[in-house]
Amino acid sequence: MKAIPDVGENFDVETFTDRIRNCGVDYLVFHARCNQGLAYYNTRIGTRHPSLKYDLFGKLSEACQRKGITLGAYFNAGISSEEGLQHREWTTLYFDGRSLREPRFTPHVRTMCYNSGYRDHLIEMVKEVLHQYPVEGLMIDCLINYPCICPVCVQEMKKRNMDWSDLSAVTRFAEISAVRLAKDIAEEAMKINPDLLISNNYPSYEELLGINTYFDVVSLPASDSGYEFMPVMARYVRTLGDFPVLNMTGRFYDWGDFGGLRPEEAIKSELLYGLANGMRPNIGGHFHPRGDLENAVLDRVERIYKELRTMEPWFDNAKNITEIAIVYPKKIANIRGDRQLKSAVRMLSELKQQFDVVTLASDWSKYKVLIFPDDILFDEETTRRVKKHVNEGKAVISTGFSGLDPEKKHFVLEQEWGIKFLGENPFDPAYFTVGENCNKGLPDMPLSLYSNGIEVEASGKTRTEARLVKPYHNRDWDGEYAFYYNPPDKVTEKPALTINGQVAHFSHRIFSGYYDKASVELRTVFSNVLGRFLAKPLVKTKNLPSFTRVFVTEQPERRMVHLLSWKYANDRRTH
Amino acid sequence: MIEEPIELDNITLSLRHDDRNFKNIYLAPKKERLSYTLKGGYVHINIPKSKGYSLLVIEE
């Protein structure tokens, strides 16, 4: 904050870098210019923090070089109060003419237009830092798609035939602008240092391929992202290519939280989760602007890293072995929050399966089973790939509306699925009863699906392995009574689960149901179906609880199995 | 929040050996040897105790 009167006053650069080195840190990212738009180095272009009396970043870079710590310079691209105050024409302009965003009390009150003069300003600051200091990395943060309808953006949107009055088109344009800025920064930076490490943060990982040289997956499980975000991202980002991925957690509970130091077991378990998935550990801190050495934080980091380093030979360049893919060819931005995807990842994790999360950006040919959770509508490319997969005799499990065409009129691969789409199923609540081929470990009674779904007709050789059970009444209010208690009535002929060769389909959105209720029965029936296609999975276990996570990685001539047994307490900050 | 590691006893872990000749099986980093049996295409390994994290190594 600009109001801090004593920035850098207590900063003892030698002690700090000694401690960082003793923690085993080989790469440190430190702010050259912060989220407030203030610089911590001697700049001719930007604004150095007014209370800082010396070149803090310069001193740090010199000490890091001397002590063999690779230093990355942090810049925030999307937000900058200082530069926005000085140049109001550099900030984004919203539809109603506002340049300040609501609510005001956030770091995002002033957001920057990537097509204004700010763009060159930022590029020049990056170049300035790279010219002046021995910096070997760059992290450009918050390249967020803030919508902007300033004249410059509107003119370009008109040229591109994009609807500048439509929020989603303007947001998409902001995304394009953010990625373009990332690319231009990277190009200029590489001219100065062709070996520079570069991580841009926020645009989709797929759009940053070829721009980033490494990726950060930022996850604060105690705060915004919860404990179900990292499991999805860890399995997804590694499918995009062979580059370093950093698993960035924080020592604090929330952003802007200077006074939080989470338990050693919490931080360690998160870093081990990443290491078991080929991700390097990265602990974020909020550095005290006065430069106070936070020994308690450094002690904790040192203890954790010391333990992790004893196992480094088995983590180095180890690759995960996987044989199942959860397929998510939908809008990539949604991959961060999709609950059906989180649910599928949780279910397969509890079943100790080895799997990836894939989009159209990676090859699916190595997988034995493809899983399409709940709402994966098939476009041309997905259809082509799935057809090839099935023709090779490999398996598919789809649920709910997955497998339908984008208009939800019919199954795209009707012959392969062996079922016809009849329409939505009205049962609310829907129950099902599972036949003897797939009912191992299930209670012998009608079971809840906890979700809605579709009706199908099985054709020819397709086997119906489970049937829908109608409730007495649907959930309703009839003007006199609330139909809240709706027990199962008769078993219908309507299929709830069909298997045609190597393709299984559940009529209902069982992953939505599993997300909402964590119904063990849904997991059991899914596991039974999976077991028919994958009778010999890579790992089998005995005596392991559902919450234990198992990962298999590989190095030349050896395989590693990672067992992780931590469980978060059921408090409100765990999602 | 996560505060404590959970301790587990007497785990059996079976890894499909995919026609590889695994013979050196231990817990890293201390290299504690573990007993194992081969059956049905899997190497079955007994882990007497696991607290929070165990790194099992299966070498050719």
Side-chain angles (χ1 to χ4, degrees):
Chain A
M1 293 299 306
K2 197 173 187 181
I4 303 280
D6 49 8
V7 168
E9 245 173 49
N10 290 350
F11 187 45
D12 173 353
V13 70
E14 293 306 325
T15 311
F16 176 67
T17 46
D18 279 347
R19 291 229 53 186
I20 289 288
R21 187 183 51 189
N22 292 341
C23 288
V25 170
D26 56 5
Y27 183 49
L28 173 71
V29 173
F30 199 89
H31 43 278
R33 206 216 67 187
C34 70
N35 297 19
Q36 297 286 307
L38 294 164
Y40 299 85
Y41 68 95
N42 287 346
T43 174
R44 280 166 282 109
I45 301 160
T47 307
R48 199 178 80 179
H49 194 288
S51 75
L52 178 65
K53 297 193 176 68
Y54 61 93
D55 185 350
L56 190 152
F57 189 83
K59 270 179 102 168
L60 177 71
S61 66
E62 186 274 319
C64 283
Q65 187 184 39
R66 197 160 17 89
K67 295 175 187 180
I69 303 163
T70 302
L71 181 66
Y74 175 98
F75 283 88
N76 196 303
I79 54 180
S80 172
S81 262
E82 188 58 32
E83 284 147 335
L85 264 166
Q86 291 178 17
H87 296 273
R88 279 171 55 194
E89 75 283 9
W90 288 1
T91 58
T92 53
L93 190 64
Y94 203 62
F95 285 95
D96 60 2
R98 267 184 293 132
S99 60
L100 293 178
R101 289 169 65 86
E102 298 291 349
R104 301 281 163 92
F105 185 65
T106 80
H108 304 264
V109 62
R110 236 178 236 103
T111 56
M112 309 308 284
C113 170
Y114 305 129
N115 298 311
S116 66
Y118 172 71
R119 168 193 173 73
D120 289 340
H121 171 83
L122 182 62
I123 294 173
E124 288 307 313
M125 281 187 84
V126 171
K127 284 162 67 179
E128 182 178 52
V129 164
L130 295 178
H131 278 304
Q132 275 173 222
Y133 307 105
V135 164
E136 293 171 74
L138 196 56
M139 186 190 181
I140 309 291
D141 197 12
C142 291
L143 276 161
I144 296 172
N145 53 0
Y146 301 113
C148 179
I149 53 148
C150 78
V152 182
C153 289
V154 167
Q155 278 165 24
E156 192 181 337
M157 280 187 273
K158 283 179 179 171
K159 268 190 213 151
R160 289 170 173 260
N161 277 330
M162 294 177 83
D163 183 356
W164 54 268
S165 64
D166 173 62
L167 177 61
S168 68
V170 175
T171 304
R172 175 64 196 140
F173 177 71
E175 233 161 50
I176 293 169
S177 304
V179 174
R180 182 168 59 189
L181 176 55
K183 189 163 180 279
D184 291 348
I185 292 173
E187 271 175 20
E188 289 299 320
M190 291 285 200
K191 283 183 200 161
I192 300 165
N193 179 357
D195 300 320
L196 199 69
L197 302 164
I198 300 180
S199 169
N200 292 282
N201 192 31
Y202 254 97
S204 87
Y205 292 106
E206 292 176 24
E207 294 199 79
L208 292 170
L209 290 172
I211 303 174
N212 280 15
T213 65
Y214 75 97
F215 285 84
D216 283 287
V217 177
V218 183
S219 169
L220 270 194
S223 173
D224 43 9
S225 45
Y227 270 106
E228 299 217 294
F229 171 77
M230 178 56 70
V232 175
M233 300 315 283
R235 291 175 172 87
Y236 159 58
V237 182
R238 67 180 177 219
T239 68
L240 298 177
D242 195 13
F243 36 69
V245 181
L246 303 191
N247 165 26
M248 187 198 292
T249 183
R251 59 95 164 158
F252 36 75
Y253 292 82
D254 206 349
W255 303 113
D257 167 18
F258 286 86
L261 180 54
R262 294 191 303 127
E264 184 173 329
E265 291 295 327
I267 300 172
K268 190 172 80 178
S269 65
E270 289 152 22
L271 296 182
L272 280 165
Y273 192 100
L275 286 161
N277 283 284
M279 304 164 88
R280 300 181 189 203
N282 183 350
I283 303 175
H286 280 310
F287 195 71
H288 196 294
R290 192 167 51 211
D292 295 7
L293 195 66
E294 283 165 328
N295 279 313
V297 173
L298 290 162
D299 288 348
R300 187 154 298 178
V301 172
E302 188 171 337
R303 250 195 326 274
I304 293 168
Y305 275 4
K306 194 173 172 190
E307 186 181 341
L308 297 183
R309 287 172 78 193
T310 63
M311 295 175 276
E312 217 171 320
W314 295 276
F315 295 141
D316 267 355
N317 293 316
K319 304 282 177 227
N320 287 74
I321 310 177
T322 53
E323 50 189 359
I324 300 171
I326 300 173
V327 185
Y328 193 81
K330 299 209 293 194
K331 195 168 182 293
I332 297 307
N334 298 347
I335 204 165
R336 292 169 183 261
D338 191 289
R339 63 193 195 104
Q340 293 156 342
L341 185 57
K342 284 180 180 172
S343 169
V345 166
R346 189 207 305 164
M347 191 189 280
L348 284 165
S349 302
E350 288 166 351
L351 294 171
K352 323 300 184 224
Q353 298 292 340
Q354 301 303 305
F355 64 99
D356 290 322
V357 172
V358 298
T359 65
L360 292 170
S362 64
D363 181 20
W364 305 349
S365 61
K366 77 166 188 173
Y367 303 108
K368 295 173 180 167
V369 184
L370 299 179
I371 293 166
F372 294 90
D374 293 6
D375 282 291
I376 308 296
L377 304 176
F378 281 19
D379 58 15
E380 268 179 44
E381 175 64 10
T382 305
T383 306
R384 190 188 63 74
R385 291 187 186 200
V386 175
K387 202 173 162 74
K388 183 168 174 281
H389 177 86
V390 176
N391 285 344
E392 287 167 3
K394 296 192 285 187
V396 169
I397 304 174
S398 69
T399 63
F401 290 72
S402 293
L404 295 177
D405 70 297
E407 306 297 318
K408 299 188 188 175
K409 292 275 196 301
H410 58 91
F411 278 101
V412 177
L413 294 169
E414 210 170 82
Q415 203 184 329
E416 286 78 359
W417 259 238
I419 43 176
K420 233 189 183 98
F421 173 63
L422 300 178
E424 294 197 24
N425 174 254
F427 298 170
D428 176 24
Y431 296 94
F432 73 139
T433 177
V434 184
E436 59 184 15
N437 292 331
C438 299
N439 68 355
K440 192 179 162 210
L442 284 177
D444 184 15
M445 58 184 273
L447 299 167
S448 293
L449 282 155
Y450 303 111
S451 56
N452 56 4
I454 62 169
E455 291 189 8
V456 302
E457 184 184 283
S459 52
K461 293 176 297 176
T462 304
R463 294 189 314 272
T464 297
E465 302 288 10
R467 293 179 197 280
L468 292 173
V469 178
K470 193 176 180 303
Y472 274 84
H473 301 280
N474 272 3
R475 291 187 180 106
D476 198 10
W477 163 249
D478 76 345
E480 291 174 276
Y481 294 98
F483 284 76
Y484 189 83
Y485 300 103
N486 305 294
D489 185 8
K490 298 270 184 339
V491 179
T492 70
E493 287 301 307
K494 300 174 196 294
L497 166 64
T498 54
I499 299 183
N500 180 40
Q502 293 291 98
V503 181
H505 186 82
F506 285 90
S507 65
H508 279 55
R509 291 175 162 125
I510 62 164
F511 291 108
S512 302
Y514 195 64
Y515 187 86
D516 289 340
K517 300 288 184 223
S519 148
V520 175
E521 294 90 73
L522 289 180
R523 187 180 72 204
T524 303
V525 66
F526 177 85
S527 171
N528 290 343
V529 173
L530 182 62
R532 293 181 57 159
F533 296 142
L534 193 64
K536 291 198 159 191
L538 186 59
V539 178
K540 292 182 188 178
T541 61
K542 232 190 266 171
N543 282 351
L544 275 190
S546 61
F547 58 80
T548 296
R549 296 292 180 259
V550 178
F551 303 97
V552 183
T553 56
E554 188 170 44
Q555 288 169 332
E557 297 181 357
R558 66 184 178 198
R559 288 183 171 179
M560 277 68 65
V561 182
H562 310 255
L563 298 181
L564 283 87
S565 298
W566 279 274
K567 199 168 181 336
Y568 51 79
N570 190 18
D571 58 41
R572 71 182 185 90
R573 278 297 193 185
T574 54
H575 301 244
Chain B
M1 189 48 54
I2 285 174
E3 296 184 62
E4 303 88 11
I6 291 173
E7 190 166 328
L8 306 171
D9 291 330
N10 193 23
I11 301 157
T12 305
L13 192 136
S14 308
L15 183 70
R16 199 176 63 214
H17 60 59
D18 294 340
D19 295 327
R20 289 173 184 230
N21 186 20
F22 291 122
K23 49 188 179 230
N24 190 17
I25 297 177
Y26 59 89
L27 284 171
K30 291 183 182 163
K31 301 206 171 178
E32 296 160 56
R33 292 288 190 132
L34 293 173
S35 61
Y36 65 93
T37 54
L38 292 168
K39 198 181 166 193
Y42 283 83
V43 46
H44 305 272
I45 305 153
N46 181 262
I47 306 162
K49 257 190 198 336
S50 173
K51 191 174 179 187
Y53 179 67
S54 294
L55 176 52
L56 187 62
V57 186
I58 302 106
E59 286 182 343
E60 283 184 45

